[in-house]
Amino acid sequence: QVQVVESGGGLVQPGGSLGLSCAASGNIFSIASMGWYRQAPGKQRELVATITSSGGTNYADSVKGRFTISRDNARSTEYLQMNSLKPEDTAIYYCHADVGLIKDGPHYRYWGQGTQVTVSS
């Protein structure tokens, strides 16, 4: 069984910074891609950023230059540093980890429970 647990989030003023973390644990052989999505009220869930096991990154245009995704493979943990936050960044942020349970086996996507980020003065 695999658990993915997020931490961080909260209320921040426009222009401020906030960090999120996401740790995977359990019966893990390997982790391929990790990433963050977000869902604002009344909107569909959208990609924020992803990172491969070798550190390759991909960002949504709306967060490029403001958000940074990183990971610590030894700790099966990913991070999202969010700077210059805007009210439109307000959403529930979900992390995922694509986990392989056995050597040369398929990877399955596991999701965190979501954490609220609110950008408001």
Side-chain angles (χ1 to χ4, degrees), residues 31-56:
I31 300 178
S33 176
M34 303 182 84
W36 296 88
Y37 283 68
R38 67 186 181 186
Q39 187 166 18
K43 294 188 176 181
Q44 290 187 331
R45 189 176 296 192
E46 63 175 3
L47 170 72
V48 176
T50 60
I51 185 167
T52 67
S53 57
S54 57

Side-chain angles (χ1 to χ4, degrees), residues 14-15 18 20 26 28 31 34 45-46 48 51-52 56 66 75 79 81 87 91 95 97 100 104 112-113 117:
L18 206 57
L20 306 179
I28 297 172
I31 300 178
M34 303 182 84
R45 189 176 296 192
E46 63 175 3
V48 176
I51 185 167
T52 67
R66 300 188 299 121
R75 298 177 184 271
Y79 307 93
Q81 178 62 38
C95 68
D104 297 327
Q113 76 282 5
V117 172

